[in-house]
Amino acid sequence: MGRCQLHAMPRSVSIRGTDAAELDKNTWGPLEDLVRNHPGAGVHFQECEIHNRAKDVGSATANWFKELLSSNPWFVKIVPNFRSLPKEALGPGIDSASVFTSVCINTAIHLPWLISQCLSNGVIFKRDVFDHILDATTSGIHPNGPVDLVVNCTGLMASKLGGVQDTSVAPARGQIVIVRNDAGKMLDMPGTDDGDEEACYVMTRAAGGGTILGGSYQKGNWESQSDPNLAVRIMTRAVKMCSALTNGKGIEHLDIIRHGVGLRPVRDGGTRIEKKRIGGVLVIHNYGAGGAGYQSSYGCAQAAVDLIDLAWDVQAKL
């Protein structure tokens, strides 16, 4: 795994194109290591099948899945077992499809595992409400001395946090249904006949984490409650695309665990990984990855660490 290449303190790193590929590429190695060597992390390999329909080109969800739909994606030599499906293997209405080995994360296991790793390394967690980014430097948060550095990973709330107030950050609402049914593999189709902002994807999480059925990409939508009509469309599409879920039967044979809504922190111009001084305090921004938060997580973290190391090196020479 190479390090993320940043050029001379950039203002931001785009999540599209080459820079996005570098962030994702630098994340694949650590995730693969978790699968092979850390079973408690809740990450496992899963075959992923991407279905492409020419008529979906230009839709909000097709643009979201753009790299996956490329005939020669940047990750073709990164992920194992990449191949294109022959025309005769495609279902009705599908113009092309590719298959490869991906990773699937059971976040209900993975996030607590990450916290445990932090605790093992002496990290202290505190929960508080900040109106301004410099509130993180107050004595009530850090009673042992002055704060030299703040790493800002506030995601969507970077749009509202004082001292940051990045108006280019907006939510892209995603809705899912979690079921007990097993899909056996991961399936994605970045487009539907139900609307420009809807997609169809299925993924079964490790260790009894259920199967995720999605979804939507509703930019600018802050609604946190599940839309029952959208939920029915999600389940209908999933059962049609993946007959293994219900053995060819209808959505009434889905065993629902719960419905969920998430607001992806999308930033115009891409992920912001940037060094800045605010009120004399060094701030490293790392937010705005949108729907690529997990798949670019280690790459983004390393890029932020590189900026910190560079800042310390410069300061040491002064």
Side-chain angles (χ1 to χ4, degrees):
M1 292 303 297
R3 294 167 69 87
C4 185
Q5 298 177 356
L6 298 178
H7 302 284
M9 310 301 284
R11 286 199 55 79
S12 65
V13 178
S14 171
I15 63 171
R16 302 179 180 86
T18 303
D19 291 328
E22 286 297 310
L23 297 176
D24 290 358
K25 187 186 302 181
N26 293 344
T27 301
W28 174 261
L31 290 180
E32 185 177 29
D33 176 68
L34 292 182
V35 175
R36 299 188 185 282
N37 301 310
H38 302 276
V43 186
H44 71 133
F45 287 129
Q46 190 169 91
E47 183 178 86
C48 180
E49 192 170 301
I50 307 296
H51 294 177
N52 181 27
R53 306 189 310 174
K55 67 180 181 179
D56 295 324
V57 173
S59 68
T61 49
N63 289 336
W64 174 31
F65 280 79
K66 186 176 181 180
E67 285 299 324
L68 286 175
L69 301 180
S70 171
S71 59
N72 185 31
W74 65 264
F75 54 84
V76 66
K77 294 183 179 180
I78 302 295
V79 299
N81 309 314
F82 184 93
R83 63 196 186 279
S84 297
L85 288 181
K87 190 71 176 178
E88 58 270 20
L90 305 180
I94 305 302
D95 295 295
S96 63
S98 58
V99 179
F100 54 91
T101 300
S102 185
V103 293
C104 186
I105 302 174
N106 184 344
T107 56
I109 294 175
H110 185 60
L111 295 178
W113 181 83
L114 287 175
I115 290 175
S116 74
Q117 300 305 297
C118 291
L119 292 172
S120 296
N121 284 279
V123 173
I124 298 172
F125 287 89
K126 290 190 176 184
R127 185 184 297 271
D128 211 326
V129 177
F130 297 156
D131 294 319
H132 193 283
I133 192 168
L134 294 183
D135 290 348
T137 68
T138 61
S139 60
I141 300 299
H142 293 279
N144 296 326
V147 173
D148 300 313
L149 168 72
V150 173
V151 180
N152 173 29
C153 301
T154 50
L156 187 56
M157 288 301 101
S159 63
K160 301 180 181 297
L161 181 64
V164 182
Q165 293 177 314
D166 189 340
T167 57
S168 66
V169 179
R173 182 181 180 275
Q175 182 169 320
I176 61 169
V177 182
I178 306 176
V179 300
R180 292 183 177 87
N181 309 62
D182 194 333
K185 59 183 175 181
M186 190 184 304
L187 292 156
D188 294 272
M189 187 167 71
T192 75
D193 296 325
D194 294 323
D196 181 71
E197 297 181 325
E198 298 184 27
C200 184
Y201 53 87
V202 174
M203 58 190 78
T204 299
R205 301 190 297 191
T211 296
I212 305 296
L213 312 180
S216 64
Y217 193 85
Q218 301 166 323
K219 193 170 181 182
N221 189 333
W222 287 84
E223 179 55 59
S224 62
Q225 300 304 303
S226 179
D227 176 350
N229 293 321
L230 175 54
V232 170
R233 295 197 297 272
I234 287 171
M235 291 186 287
T236 301
R237 292 193 296 258
V239 166
K240 181 179 179 181
M241 183 174 69
C242 182
S243 60
L245 282 168
T246 59
N247 294 318
K249 300 177 182 178
I251 66 172
E252 66 273 12
H253 292 274
L254 289 172
D255 188 357
I256 299 172
I257 298 173
R258 65 179 177 88
H259 298 267
V261 172
L263 303 179
R264 307 175 184 94
V266 175
R267 181 174 181 270
D268 292 341
T271 305
R272 185 185 188 189
I273 303 177
E274 178 190 9
K275 162 187 165 291
K276 194 169 185 179
R277 285 201 173 269
I278 300 176
V281 176
L282 178 63
V283 174
I284 303 294
H285 294 295
N286 180 6
Y287 64 84
Y294 285 102
Q295 74 187 48
S296 66
S297 57
Y298 282 88
C300 289
Q302 186 59 61
V305 169
D306 289 346
L307 287 184
I308 294 169
D309 289 343
L310 181 59
W312 285 167
D313 287 345
V314 170
Q315 184 170 312
K317 293 175 182 178
L318 294 179

